[in-house]
Amino acid sequence: MKDDEVATGPRAGGGNGEPMAWSSPVYVGPTVGRAPHLEVLTCALTSSRHFLLSAVRDADAATLAAKPPHGGNTIGQLLVHVAAAERLFQNLTGRGTHFGDDEADFARAFRFEADPLAGRELDAYLAHLAEVRAATISLFGARDDAWLAEPRTFVGRPSTTHYYWMHLLMDEARHTGQIILLRKYLLPGADGAFDPYGGL
């Protein structure tokens, strides 16, 4: 298959002329047309998550908890950080607050201070990520494109709601790259032949 065949393939769904979700996990575009910018953002978040999940597939508890020889975060710490960053942006853009008193585990994970799932198998991390993502989809479902354009500040600079979520995308992409480096080269027993795209 040529690289451009995905882009010219059939759309998922009916033929009523409305923009709809494509069957490919790497499609980024409008889906039902209610809030095109939010829909594109949701597709981008979903695509990024597919790459993250592919990068951690088949990792066992020992791999998730393994420390690089020269220090740094474990794969487990990176995964709970990604979930915590998403929860923080839900709070900041949804209700204008940081972590609540009942979200101490999220706060520690965000700061790379602790992994509340340490020692657990991959399924526990995936369930945690999925639970947080479901709250994001719920938040987006109650908003429209005007919400994305609302002015905000980010680290003291003029910004918008949209930027917060673009920042999350960039953060997840960076940490996916870290995970790939850990699995291929940096962890004890690393496998240079590991294909990070093999789970797509």
Side-chain angles (χ1 to χ4, degrees):
M1 177 183 290
K2 297 178 181 178
D3 288 344
D4 61 357
E5 287 184 6
V6 172
T8 58
R11 296 191 179 197
N16 60 3
E18 295 181 358
M20 302 184 75
W22 288 37
S23 58
S24 169
V26 293
Y27 170 68
V28 175
T31 53
V32 298
R34 181 188 66 82
H37 293 294
L38 262 176
E39 291 163 9
V40 169
L41 175 60
T42 302
C43 285
L45 287 167
T46 301
S47 180
S48 177
R49 182 56 52 82
H50 276 289
F51 281 87
L52 174 64
L53 298 184
S54 180
V56 299
R57 73 187 188 282
D58 302 326
D60 59 20
T63 300
L64 294 170
K67 281 276 191 183
H70 300 293
N73 299 307
T74 67
I75 292 175
Q77 286 176 306
L78 293 170
L79 291 175
V80 295
H81 167 81
V82 167
E86 185 165 356
R87 174 54 55 85
L88 177 61
F89 287 177
Q90 291 168 3
N91 292 348
L92 290 171
T93 64
R95 60 177 192 250
T97 64
H98 287 262
F99 293 114
D101 293 339
D102 60 341
E103 295 178 319
D105 281 348
F106 279 107
R108 287 192 294 270
F110 179 75
R111 296 190 295 264
F112 295 107
E113 294 175 353
D115 174 4
L117 299 178
R120 304 279 297 277
E121 295 291 344
L122 180 60
D123 284 351
Y125 289 87
L126 300 186
H128 182 55
L129 287 163
E131 181 180 7
V132 174
R133 177 52 53 86
T136 294
I137 299 304
S138 178
L139 173 66
F140 286 4
R143 301 297 193 275
D144 57 19
D145 284 350
W147 174 72
L148 281 182
E150 286 180 2
R152 297 180 181 274
T153 58
F154 190 92
V155 294
R157 297 185 179 185
S159 187
T160 62
T161 301
H162 204 160
Y163 177 76
Y164 275 77
W165 292 97
M166 288 297 296
H167 188 90
L168 182 72
L169 273 169
M170 293 187 288
D171 191 59
E172 184 166 316
R174 284 192 295 267
H175 294 313
T176 299
Q178 286 180 273
I179 290 168
I180 292 168
L181 286 172
L182 287 166
R183 294 198 71 177
K184 287 177 71 72
Y185 306 114
L186 300 180
L187 292 182
D191 178 9
F194 174 72
D195 179 8
Y197 306 113
L200 294 178

